[in-house]
Amino acid sequence: MVENFYRALYRIRRVEQEIARVYPTDIIKSPIHLSIGQEAVSVGVCEALQPSDVVFGTYRSHALYLAKGGDLKKLISELYGKVTGCAKGKGGSMHLIDTAAGFMGTSAVVGTTIPLAVGYAYALKQSGKDSIVASFFGDGAVEEGVFHETLNFAALKGVPILFICENNGYAINSHQSKRQPMDNICERARVYGMPAERIEDNDIFEIYERVERASSEIRNGREGPRLFECMTYRWREHVGPNEDFDAGYRSRSEAQPWFESDPLKTLGASLEIDRRGQIEVDVEAEIYEAFVFAEESPFPDEDELYTDVFTEA
C-alpha cells in the first residue's frame, strides 16, 4: 500500500510541477488550478474506491483525474488544446473527463457537479447496482445553495454517495473564517441526517481507511450518503503556476507546517532508496512521453467547432 500511495502522490506532484514549469511559455492554452499540496485527498479516496465507482470533481482536479486512473497523455494534450485531449482540446484544465476510468467530469463553476453526482448516484440506486459515487468540492462550495438542496435530496433518497470536501481553508483568496461564521461543515451535513467526519492533517492513511469503511458499509446495505471534510492545504496560487505568499492574504509561516508534514516526503522516507528510485524513474519516463505526445499531437480541425455542441433527443 505504501508503494502505491507513494507512486500516485509522486506522479501527481511531478505532473503538476511540469505543468507549472511549461505554463509561462504559453504552450498550455488553458488556465490551470494546481492541486500541489492537496494530492493526498484524491489518492486516499480513490485508492479506497473500486474501478466501477465514479467520481465528479471541480476545476482543481488534475489530482483527482490521475488518482482515479484518467489517461495522462489525454490530460496533457487537453491542456495543450490538442485534438487528442480528453475533451478533444475544447475543455482545458477545468473541464476534464475520462468516463472509461470512472472520472465523470469537472466544471469551472463552483458547486455545479454536486447535483450531477447525486443524480448519478440516484440512478445507480434505482438500477440496483452496487457502485458508489464520490463528489469532490472545496470549502467554498458549501456556501452555494445547491450544496444544501443536494444534500437534502441525497439524504431523503438514501443515495450511495460520498461527499468529499477538500477544505484548504480558502475560496480563492478569502479565508474560511472570513466567509463562514462557524467552522461547522460536518455539522451542516449532519442536520440532514447523514454521518459526517472531519479528517485532519492531510492524513492519507486515515482518509483511505475511513472512506474504505464507509464505502463497504454502503455496498453492504447501509444507505448513504456520507460526508468527509478532509483538511488540506494549497501550496500554489489559486490559479496559475506560482506561489502567492506575498499577495497579502496568507503567509509562508502559515503554510510551513503543511510543507513539513508533506505526505509525499513522509512516505518517500519510509521506502527503500532503490525501490523509491525505481518508482521515480518509471514515473518520469511516463511524464516525458505524455508531454512529447501532447506536443506532437495536432490541433483540432476547424470542423470541430461545430461538433459536440448539440444533439437531438
Side-chain angles (χ1 to χ4, degrees):
M1 180 182 292
V2 172
E3 283 193 9
N4 288 344
F5 282 172
Y6 182 75
R7 184 184 187 281
L9 290 175
Y10 181 81
R11 183 170 179 255
I12 294 167
R13 178 72 57 84
R14 287 293 298 121
V15 166
E16 294 216 297
Q17 287 174 339
E18 282 300 293
I19 291 171
R21 183 183 66 81
V22 304
Y23 190 76
T25 68
D26 202 34
I27 294 174
I28 292 178
K29 306 299 184 182
S30 165
I32 54 168
H33 298 75
L34 300 177
S35 305
I36 293 174
Q38 300 186 192
E39 305 96 336
V41 181
S42 292
V43 173
V45 171
C46 289
E47 287 288 330
L49 299 178
Q50 296 183 1
S52 60
D53 297 331
V54 303
V55 300
F56 289 77
T58 73
Y59 50 75
R60 192 183 309 280
S61 282
H62 297 163
L64 180 58
Y65 176 97
L66 292 173
K68 190 59 177 70
D71 188 289
L72 175 56
K73 290 182 178 179
K74 291 181 179 180
L75 167 62
I76 306 303
S77 294
E78 187 61 35
L79 302 188
Y80 275 56
K82 300 298 185 70
V83 72
T84 53
C86 62
K88 299 183 182 179
K90 301 177 182 182
S93 174
M94 294 188 284
H95 303 96
L96 304 176
I97 188 166
D98 192 336
T99 56
F103 186 87
M104 306 310 292
T106 62
S107 170
V109 182
V110 173
T112 50
T113 60
I114 299 174
L116 301 180
V118 169
Y120 197 103
Y122 187 49
L124 289 175
K125 180 177 181 178
Q126 291 295 93
S127 62
K129 296 180 179 178
D130 67 354
S131 297
I132 64 175
V133 177
S135 172
F136 285 70
F137 50 88
D139 52 288
V142 307
E143 296 157 24
E144 299 290 333
V146 72
F147 170 79
H148 298 277
E149 294 166 5
T150 304
L151 261 65
N152 182 71
F153 181 87
L156 182 66
K157 300 298 183 180
V159 301
I161 189 167
L162 304 174
F163 294 108
I164 309 295
C165 177
E166 297 180 276
N167 189 346
N168 63 21
Y170 290 92
I172 307 180
N173 297 344
S174 298
H175 192 270
Q176 184 181 358
S177 63
K178 304 292 186 183
R179 300 177 284 107
Q180 300 173 17
M182 296 182 66
D183 179 11
N184 64 344
I185 291 176
C186 285
E187 184 180 340
R188 297 184 197 193
R190 293 186 191 117
V191 299
Y192 294 109
M194 70 181 71
E197 305 174 43
R198 173 182 282 188
I199 304 175
E200 302 283 0
D201 303 324
N202 224 17
D203 189 328
I204 191 170
F205 292 103
E206 192 72 15
I207 293 168
Y208 170 81
E209 290 169 4
R210 293 206 205 176
V211 171
E212 198 280 330
R213 180 167 60 247
S215 59
S216 294
E217 290 175 352
I218 292 173
R219 266 185 259 277
N220 289 321
R222 290 184 61 181
E223 288 191 335
R226 317 288 176 88
L227 181 141
F228 292 96
E229 181 186 11
C230 301
M231 309 306 291
T232 187
Y233 199 80
R234 165 172 56 82
W235 291 15
R236 302 293 178 95
E237 58 192 334
H238 167 68
V239 54
N242 303 310
E243 294 184 343
D244 61 355
F245 298 112
D246 60 352
Y249 75 94
R250 62 175 183 167
S251 65
R252 182 173 292 277
S253 61
E254 176 186 286
Q256 192 60 38
W258 296 95
F259 296 156
E260 294 173 358
S261 63
D262 181 13
L264 177 63
K265 180 174 65 175
T266 303
L267 287 175
S270 71
L271 292 173
E272 293 183 2
I273 294 177
D274 289 347
R275 184 58 191 143
R276 186 179 73 218
Q278 187 58 57
I279 291 171
E280 293 173 359
V281 167
D282 292 344
V283 168
E284 294 294 340
E286 182 190 9
I287 294 172
Y288 176 80
E289 290 179 5
F291 275 84
V292 170
F293 177 80
E295 291 169 1
E296 295 179 348
S297 294
F299 286 103
D301 291 333
E302 190 173 307
D303 289 347
E304 282 291 342
L305 288 170
Y306 307 101
T307 65
D308 307 316
V309 294
F310 176 79
T311 184
E312 293 187 9

